[in-house]
Amino acid sequence: MRKDPLSELPQEIYSVVSVRNIDKTAIERGIASGYELMARAAEAAVDLAVDRFPAARRWEVICGAGNNGGDGYVVARLAADRGIRVSVCYLVSPETLSGDALTAYEDFSAANGQLASWQGALDQDAELLIDGLLGSGLERDVEGEFAAAVSAMNEHSAPILALDIPTGINGDTGAVMGVAVRAEFTMTFVGLKTGLFIGAGPGFVGEVCFAGLGIPEAIRREQTTELRRVNSAMLRRALPPRPRDAHKGDFGHVVLVGGGPGMPGAIRLAGDAALRAGAGRVSIATHPAHAASMTAKRPELMCHAIENPQDLEQLLAEASVVVLGPGLGKSDWAVNLFEYLIGCPLSLVLDADALNLLAVRQIRRDDWILTPHPGEAARLLALTTADIQADRRASLNQIGSQFGGCVVLKGAGTLISGGSDANFICSAGNPGMAAPGMGDVLTGIIAALWAQGLTQWESASVGVEIHAQAGDRASRAGERGMLASDLLEELRTGVNP
């Protein structure tokens, strides 16, 4: 089975300007000339294309201006050297090119490369398209003939490999600038760009692969990191093998509070997830209407009927971490429990209706983890869901500033506040996880990790990654129709890296 490409990506993600500075510094310090870096990028792209599309023997490269077009010309030349029938369709006259892009064209022309200007259509017999039209420096909408070429690429039957970033995707925000190429693969160079992982970007980039072009890590470390990817190495560091003499008392006691009348499912999912994520003990404090039925279906859970907040006192005295929110509702019962628990000096994980109640109360604490989806985030900040999604990083930071603690902004490319460090982003996960109960499972995982001794931020970031990887394993049978409970059996792999 092919190795997960995401596991091979760097952890650090940069702005477009920072990546440009890395490239410039490498050239100034004699690591390589600009044209040599371009050649290395093209060679990496050709290697990827040959590996992933071995049957494709007829390629068309669509070139624009600047270094992205230059990359395309070098790709075409190197592919032809390997016996591939390759042609270039250009939208910017090669005579107007300058610098390394001009050199790339001249070398391609000297090798008798096949070249034609854009005439409104692509080679319909091409078996692979290479997008070298516009790079990561795009600042305005794609229009005119460039937009027509993008549409033609998307309508073509051949798969698309994008060089650096798909044309039309903003390198910093991931926004679609008018129209955008929808690639099967993106071969990105020098440093990962934020636009590959946030906004609409993930829906257009396909599988992201990376080539560092031989630039030393020391040069990258001189630039500010915008985000850090959560990766499997973090899981291994945070979750080493347990000592042979361990017992359940070493791994914490998670108390989950929720499940108002008629809503037992969410708190049950969270409790099951906490067990599967390795908590030593898991107790559910729920409405008396369904406490007995939960115990019957999952004997490992300790279920307690709670009439009023005072019924929680003994449980809280033994708790390592308290979860509040799954299935909680907004009844007087729910509000009374919420008011009681947010005043207790305990490590709290808030989700679902607890976040909706928090939006009303506007309380700030540093010893909790908040796990809103975009709708809940919008209520916390008195914005619209569209506002949240338009700038997820700003929304994450605003929630953290306003409410304190560690914030997990769920969604495609879940973001986790990183305290004094750069914020984290999860690259794993899939659309099949857009299903009821997925957030409840995540909440149980995070609480279990925190109870086992991980730090607040480790619990959130590692928990998100374990959850997403479990979703990817569960999706092997297909994304559509996947249930939150399908992740439960997959969690043991994640918490034993």
Side-chain angles (χ1 to χ4, degrees):
M1 186 173 63
R2 188 183 300 278
K3 187 176 181 182
D4 177 5
L6 291 175
S7 67
E8 301 172 355
L9 296 181
Q11 190 174 32
E12 295 75 17
I13 301 173
Y14 301 94
S15 68
V16 170
V17 169
S18 292
V19 172
R20 194 175 295 138
N21 289 339
I22 293 167
D23 187 86
K24 180 181 177 182
T25 301
I27 295 169
E28 290 174 346
R29 296 182 185 174
I31 303 300
S33 68
Y35 189 61
E36 185 176 353
L37 291 176
M38 183 177 286
R40 292 177 186 178
E43 185 172 12
V46 172
D47 285 345
L48 174 67
V50 169
D51 176 65
R52 300 303 171 94
F53 304 103
R57 305 303 297 170
R58 182 165 176 162
W59 299 4
E60 183 158 37
V61 184
I62 299 87
C63 288
N67 284 348
N68 200 239
D71 291 340
Y73 284 111
V74 183
V75 164
R77 177 172 58 82
L78 295 180
D81 289 345
R82 299 195 191 191
I84 294 166
R85 183 178 175 183
V86 59
S87 61
V88 168
C89 174
Y90 66 84
L91 277 85
V92 175
S93 173
E95 284 75 17
T96 66
L97 299 177
S98 61
D100 295 328
L102 176 60
T103 303
Y105 161 70
E106 290 173 343
D107 284 354
F108 169 77
S109 181
N112 297 315
Q114 183 180 342
L115 183 72
S117 63
W118 163 255
Q119 298 295 323
L122 299 173
D123 178 3
Q124 292 305 304
D125 294 325
E127 298 166 313
L128 178 66
L129 302 180
I130 308 293
D131 172 21
L133 192 54
L134 297 170
S136 57
L138 183 66
E139 296 180 349
R140 58 190 177 92
D141 284 357
V142 180
E143 299 174 335
E145 291 302 301
F146 284 83
V150 168
S151 296
M153 281 189 268
N154 287 338
E155 293 167 4
H156 200 285
S157 60
I160 302 172
L161 168 62
L163 302 179
D164 206 31
I165 195 166
T167 291
I169 294 297
N170 186 288
D172 283 328
T173 69
V176 175
M177 308 294 284
V179 294
V181 166
R182 196 176 295 274
E184 275 73 19
F185 289 86
T186 296
M187 187 78 217
T188 199
F189 313 115
V190 180
L192 298 180
K193 294 87 182 166
T194 55
L196 297 168
F197 301 98
I198 64 173
F204 288 81
V205 300
E207 180 181 307
V208 178
C209 299
F210 174 73
L213 310 187
I215 296 175
E217 287 302 315
I219 292 179
R220 291 186 180 86
R221 287 195 292 270
E222 294 175 14
Q223 298 299 315
T224 300
T225 301
E226 296 290 318
L227 293 167
R228 296 184 188 276
R229 290 180 54 252
V230 189
N231 57 20
S232 296
M234 290 178 62
L235 272 61
R236 290 190 293 271
R237 288 194 298 270
L239 296 168
R242 288 179 168 180
R244 299 301 299 170
D245 60 347
H247 58 85
K248 68 179 182 181
D250 294 331
F251 305 117
H253 181 195
V254 176
V255 175
L256 301 105
V257 182
M263 297 186 290
I267 199 70
R268 165 68 193 281
L269 279 171
D272 284 353
L275 284 172
R276 287 296 187 188
R281 290 189 293 161
V282 179
S283 296
I284 290 182
T286 189
H287 195 274
H290 36 67
S293 62
M294 283 193 199
T295 302
K297 294 178 181 178
R298 176 66 74 188
E300 296 91 343
L301 289 171
M302 298 177 286
C303 296
H304 303 264
I306 302 298
E307 291 277 6
N308 54 64
Q310 288 67 42
D311 294 340
L312 288 170
E313 290 182 1
Q314 184 58 44
L315 276 176
L316 298 182
E318 301 171 354
S320 306
V321 174
V322 175
V323 169
L324 177 62
L328 184 65
K330 299 179 183 178
S331 65
D332 290 343
W333 177 84
V335 172
N336 290 337
L337 291 176
F338 174 84
E339 294 290 349
Y340 181 77
L341 284 169
I342 60 171
C344 294
L346 295 165
S347 298
L348 293 175
V349 181
L350 266 58
D351 187 25
D353 285 320
L355 295 170
N356 295 328
L357 293 171
L358 179 62
V360 176
R361 290 282 278 107
Q362 295 286 309
I363 298 163
R364 192 182 195 284
R365 285 179 56 163
D366 289 327
D367 56 345
W368 58 17
I369 298 174
L370 309 179
T371 63
H373 59 53
E376 291 157 350
R379 286 186 282 277
L380 287 170
L381 298 178
L383 298 172
T384 67
T385 301
D387 292 332
I388 299 297
Q389 295 294 78
D391 195 339
R392 285 171 55 82
R393 287 192 294 165
S395 300
L396 178 84
N397 292 333
Q398 188 176 347
I399 294 170
S401 176
Q402 193 165 325
F403 294 93
C406 177
V407 181
V408 175
L409 181 55
K410 296 181 288 194
T414 292
L415 296 171
I416 308 101
S417 59
S420 59
D421 201 354
N423 294 332
F424 285 92
I425 187 168
C426 177
S427 306
N430 63 82
M433 298 176 73
M438 289 290 177
D440 304 310
V441 171
L442 174 61
T443 295
I445 297 168
I446 291 173
L449 297 178
W450 204 2
Q452 290 173 75
L454 276 67
T455 69
Q456 187 177 6
W457 278 270
E458 282 178 329
S459 302
S461 56
V462 170
V464 167
E465 181 73 8
I466 288 171
H467 179 256
Q469 289 186 9
D472 286 340
R473 289 190 292 272
S475 72
R476 290 170 182 162
E479 294 177 355
R480 187 175 287 109
M482 189 164 66
L483 303 179
S485 55
D486 294 335
L487 273 62
L488 296 174
E489 291 300 322
E490 305 292 346
L491 292 181
R492 291 175 69 189
T493 299
V495 297
N496 293 283

